[in-house]
Amino acid sequence: MPRRHLFAAALCLAGAPALADVAILLSMDTTSRSTERQMSRTLSDQGFTVVTERSAATGAVTQALAEGFEALAPEERVIVYMGGQTALVGTRTYQLSRVTDRANTFTVARDGVELGPVLEALAGYPGRAALLIATEADAVRVGPGAVEARVTEMPAGVALVEGREDALLAGLAALDAEEPISLARAFAGAEISGFAPEGVAFARAVAAFIPEETEETGADAAPDEDALFWQFTQQIASEGAYTAYLRRFPDGAFRAEAEAALAALAPPPALSPEEEAEAAEAALGLDRNERRGVQQDLVLLGYNTRGVDGIFGPGSRGAITAWQETRGFEATGFLTGNQLIALRNQAETRRAQIAAEDEAFWARTGASGAEADLRAYLERYPEGRFAQTARADLAEIEGARQAERDAAERAAWDEARATDTQAAYSDFLQRYPEGRFAGDAQARIAELNGASRGASDAQIAQDRAQEAEVLANPIARLLAERQLAALGLDIGPVDGRFTNATRRGVQAFQRSRNLPATGFVSRATGVALLASAGR
């Protein structure tokens, strides 16, 4: 007949001598003293070191937790029992020592023990840690958005058991069975979640895999211990579990997987101080504009970055190093978050100082509006707060000066035109060689040179003086132009104004009558014009 048997493979995960397991009983007000004593006695009989605390003071509760965890060895089991009332605040869970219906966010934070840190501490003992919460009192939800469950996220390897005191007490007693038993079976009368697989025993200092009953056909058929051990190791997934597997099965079938898992859990190699500094700056995630801002701040403080381009090259690194040395920081050439804040604050202080100095200097100089003061301000603060105003005022001053120069040039030109001699135009060019009328003056000089051949300066001066008598009024000038036009000479518009074209027409007429070609209507020229009109 085939025989049935229960196989329990104890997989020892601890090489050093085991210390006592620890149970921390935080009874608080809802747990009866008789239940507390039964729990303590039951756990003590199983080899647990029991730490108890009933005080309502949060400090006393946390002190008990601290003492309990300090007594633990790395390979031991730990059980934390919490009575009282659970308060749910958003995604956080607190255990209150007393039952209340008037809890609020502030009183819960003051009077309760947050379960998050407790779970984090239990996570250090994967596969050997359990948190028991008594549910004698209903959970209280504080504020909007409170979660429904007492614990929403469980760390790996930690079991959560929720139930009434009698169910929790029965489960603790069941752990003392002769055969290895899992938490799931021991606390069948409670609600259990987290890491509590059916086939894994909650055994002291060891972890036992409990397969189902198997059939034997003939000789005893032992399961593959290597595979069973590896299956449990994967469930724990801790450094200690993988190390224990390799120690137990140095040439096991899953050696490569265990070594790879250990390598993945191993801390990264230590960085050199320079690498740490570089990594710290990289973690700031500075974009190019932010790096450009750093460079601007350094330049403002008098450090040469050799450009403000958002690229931290040798110049920027050297400037950062020099600034760090000045401020007493470690001179790495790379910025930390605190140093970045310090640099920005120092630069802002300097900007405020410069702005105050800028304003004070403007009050002493450019505010007067005088040209010399405006130029003095711009020389010191070319990009200052009042630079645009100073440039606008200077442009206005220069505009007024240019208007004066233009008016003076126009007057000189009008005077040269009125005189209309080579000497007058030459004098104008000497005064305004690059003036607006320089080209006109040179052209008129050329005309006079060509037209006055054979006419002396004295003759020209004489004819000019006689023209003032002959053409003493505008009507006489208009009549002279009409006669010249009637003779077919090109004198331009007949409007009584003697332009250069009119002068050329007079010269042409004078040459036709063998008169000195001065271009001025002398008495002889006037007589000749009258005579030509009678023909």
Side-chain angles (χ1 to χ4, degrees):
M1 292 290 294
R3 292 183 295 114
R4 302 180 62 86
H5 73 283
L6 183 66
F7 176 80
L11 311 181
C12 185
L13 297 180
L19 300 178
D21 300 328
V22 172
I24 306 170
L25 304 182
L26 306 174
S27 299
M28 304 185 181
D29 284 356
T30 57
T31 305
S32 67
R33 292 191 178 275
S34 62
T35 299
E36 177 187 326
R37 286 193 294 270
Q38 285 181 294
M39 286 184 176
S40 179
R41 185 165 49 252
T42 297
L43 291 167
S44 295
D45 291 343
Q46 297 178 38
F48 281 86
T49 296
V50 180
V51 178
T52 62
E53 179 58 56
R54 293 186 61 87
S55 172
T58 303
V61 174
T62 55
Q63 180 62 32
L65 285 166
E67 291 177 1
F69 278 99
E70 286 176 1
L72 273 168
E75 305 295 343
E76 301 312 309
R77 295 178 299 173
V78 56
I79 293 175
V80 176
Y81 167 83
M82 304 191 82
Q85 181 184 35
T86 303
L88 307 173
V89 183
T91 59
R92 295 187 176 185
T93 304
Y94 296 83
Q95 201 68 14
L96 304 176
S97 59
R98 294 191 177 94
V99 178
T100 178
D101 57 358
R102 294 187 177 182
N104 59 53
T105 302
F106 304 103
T107 59
V108 166
R110 180 194 64 197
D111 302 333
V113 176
E114 187 177 357
L115 294 189
V118 178
L119 289 170
E120 289 180 12
L122 292 171
Y125 306 88
R128 307 180 306 282
L131 173 62
L132 280 57
I133 298 180
T135 59
E136 309 302 311
D138 292 334
V140 58
R141 290 168 181 81
V142 179
V147 296
E148 294 295 323
R150 285 180 170 83
V151 179
T152 56
E153 293 186 12
M154 288 293 297
V158 179
L160 173 64
V161 183
E162 301 170 277
R164 300 186 65 81
E165 291 177 357
D166 54 354
L168 299 181
L169 181 57
L172 292 175
L175 292 178
D176 199 23
E178 292 183 3
E179 296 290 342
I181 187 171
S182 66
L183 288 174
R185 294 193 179 184
F187 291 94
E191 182 179 346
I192 188 164
S193 58
F195 183 79
E198 283 282 351
V200 177
F202 193 68
R204 181 177 185 273
V206 300
F209 185 83
I210 311 171
E212 297 179 355
E213 292 183 352
T214 60
E215 291 286 341
E216 282 191 354
T217 55
D220 290 349
D224 184 351
E225 185 179 0
D226 185 348
L228 293 177
F229 200 107
W230 176 247
Q231 183 177 353
F232 180 75
T233 299
Q234 287 182 302
Q235 290 175 332
I236 299 297
S238 68
E239 181 180 355
Y242 293 120
T243 301
Y245 172 83
L246 291 172
R247 187 162 54 237
R248 180 74 175 272
F249 302 101
D251 297 316
F254 306 97
R255 173 183 174 181
E257 290 90 333
E259 290 175 343
L262 274 177
L265 292 173
L271 299 177
S272 66
E274 294 77 11
E275 290 172 332
E276 288 183 355
E278 184 174 1
E281 183 182 279
L284 299 177
L286 300 177
D287 60 27
R288 188 156 184 174
N289 284 334
E290 290 170 325
R291 287 172 175 252
R292 190 179 290 112
V294 169
Q295 291 171 326
Q296 290 170 342
D297 289 345
L298 288 167
V299 170
L300 179 69
L301 296 174
Y303 299 94
N304 183 11
T305 61
R306 291 189 240 167
V308 179
D309 53 9
I311 300 174
F312 283 180
S316 296
R317 293 300 176 194
I320 292 172
T321 301
W323 175 80
Q324 289 171 328
E325 291 174 344
T326 302
R327 291 298 303 270
F329 294 116
E330 184 179 359
T332 64
F334 295 92
L335 291 169
T336 66
N338 289 337
Q339 290 173 7
L340 183 62
I341 293 172
L343 175 61
R344 288 173 178 170
N345 290 342
Q346 185 180 355
E348 286 304 316
T349 300
R350 180 56 183 151
R351 285 190 182 91
Q353 180 183 358
I354 291 174
E357 294 172 352
D358 181 339
E359 186 170 356
F361 193 73
W362 172 258
R364 295 197 304 271
T365 57
S368 70
E371 181 178 3
D373 288 343
L374 292 169
R375 295 192 185 283
Y377 174 81
L378 286 174
E379 183 177 357
R380 178 174 294 188
Y381 297 103
E383 303 298 330
R385 176 182 173 188
F386 305 97
Q388 185 174 355
T389 301
R391 290 190 177 92
D393 291 349
L394 282 175
E396 186 176 345
I397 292 172
E398 183 59 32
R401 182 180 294 123
Q402 184 61 46
E404 292 177 1
R405 289 196 294 263
D406 291 345
E409 181 181 353
R410 166 59 74 175
W413 173 247
D414 290 344
E415 182 180 353
R417 286 292 307 278
T419 305
D420 199 33
T421 63
Q422 294 183 46
Y425 290 121
S426 295
D427 180 61
F428 174 83
L429 288 173
Q430 186 174 3
R431 292 171 60 188
Y432 301 101
E434 304 296 333
R436 293 168 52 197
F437 307 103
D440 293 338
Q442 291 168 349
R444 184 57 181 152
I445 289 173
E447 290 177 358
L448 292 175
N449 280 335
S452 61
R453 291 173 188 166
S456 64
D457 289 342
Q459 183 66 54
I460 294 172
Q462 174 186 300
D463 285 4
R464 184 190 307 111
Q466 290 179 6
E467 181 182 273
E469 297 175 4
V470 173
L471 306 177
N473 58 69
I475 295 176
R477 297 171 74 85
L478 183 60
L479 290 173
E481 282 186 328
R482 287 180 178 176
Q483 183 58 31
L484 290 168
L487 293 174
L489 298 170
D490 182 11
I491 61 169
V494 179
D495 55 7
R497 296 175 57 214
F498 272 35
T499 64
N500 291 340
T502 307
R503 296 297 180 191
R504 287 193 294 271
V506 172
Q507 289 171 337
F509 175 78
Q510 288 171 329
R511 282 193 292 269
S512 68
R513 298 298 187 269
N514 293 319
L515 295 172
T518 62
F520 295 96
V521 181
S522 62
R523 294 190 188 96
T525 302
V527 171
L529 281 173
L530 289 175
S532 63
R535 294 179 181 177

